[in-house]
Amino acid sequence: MAQASLRPLVAGNWKMNGLKAAAAELEQIVAGAQALAGKADLMICPPATLIASFAAVARGSAVAIGAQDCHAEASGAHTGDLSAEMLADAGASAVIVGHSERRSDHNESDAAVKAKALAARRAGLTAILCIGETHAQRKNNETLAVVARQLAGSLPEGAAGSNIVIAYEPVWAIGTGLTPTPDDVAKVHAFIRQQLRERLGGEGERVRILYGGSVKPENAPQLLKLADVGGALVGGASLKANDFLGIAAVYR
Ligand code: PGA
């Protein structure tokens, strides 16, 4: 089923990029977002150091500010970590959990990702839950099995359209300039939708499923208009306001 009734979300994941001066890009995104008001939700997930100042710039605009990761606990002896409550307090309204770079750099398991998604809900943040196969897994025809396993292990009970967004991000497409064919994206998104329906019943229709991995203004029209693609999670191309807005312009 198409996601015609769900407002699409275009979220930018800045990863470990951005100093204070990058607020100029955000200001441009906030200005450009006006043309999309009511048609698409925009979000920028800067490094945690910029959340508070970016939230101040974006306040009252159509651009939400998100974080890139959180700890599962609300507070405690976890040097260097940030809780979902802290991110909410700084002005974030969402947090990415289970990004493949966290899964590989920090050995995050599905169970750990699920705990983070639950922490996000506890703090009133939307969790953007990332799943996706590696190149080897795709070559072995394991894509759907991997996605099913990750969803089974990391999607929390009680997930709903109001508290969770799924991002399908094939690991081999992230930062490489490679993307699956539109047919392949459609197939995986339809499969994810079916899994969500099985787990969440009718609420499974209300969950947005983003595509992520080398989304650019040039390929956005082919990838983002597919059935069950409810928007994009954008890395590299979200660092430049013109590129990010060029992707979101698909929904104008
Ligand atoms: P990319 O990253 O757009 O640079 O491929 C996507 C992501 O990691 O979310």
Side-chain angles (χ1 to χ4, degrees), residues 8-190:
L9 168 65
V10 181
N13 172 12
W14 278 20
K15 310 191 179 185
M16 199 171 72
N17 297 291
L19 302 174
K20 280 187 281 185
E25 295 298 326
L26 179 68
E27 281 161 16
Q28 209 183 317
I29 290 168
V30 164
Q34 285 171 14
L36 287 149
K39 298 181 184 154
D41 295 333
L42 299 192
M43 182 187 294
I44 291 294
C45 302
T49 46
L50 295 179
I51 287 173
S53 60
F54 274 31
V57 170
R59 189 163 297 130
S61 81
V63 180
I65 301 301
Q68 300 174 12
D69 177 51
C70 67
H71 194 279
E73 291 172 29
S75 63
H78 301 289
T79 302
D81 279 316
L82 296 170
S83 71
E85 281 78 359
M86 290 168 176
L87 300 168
D89 187 48
S93 58
V95 58
I96 298 168
V97 296
H99 189 279
S100 68
E101 287 151 17
R102 299 286 319 172
R103 290 177 187 262
S104 65
D105 292 1
H106 300 271
N107 293 316
E108 289 188 7
S109 65
D110 286 328
V113 173
K114 180 178 182 172
K116 289 175 183 224
L118 282 166
R121 196 193 309 164
R122 183 187 66 218
L125 301 178
T126 299
I128 302 178
L129 171 58
C130 302
I131 56 176
E133 82 285 1
T134 63
H135 188 56
Q137 289 166 332
R138 173 158 287 256
K139 273 186 31 198
N140 288 336
N141 276 324
E142 290 167 14
T143 298
L144 300 185
V146 168
V147 162
R149 189 172 70 230
Q150 290 177 329
L151 268 182
S154 57
L155 183 72
E157 289 71 35
S162 58
N163 62 39
I164 203 126
V165 172
I166 305 295
Y168 168 57
E169 300 207 301
V171 177
W172 53 274
I174 294 176
T176 58
L178 303 171
T179 58
T181 64
D183 274 1
D184 284 338
V185 172
K187 196 168 143 206
V188 179
H189 279 241

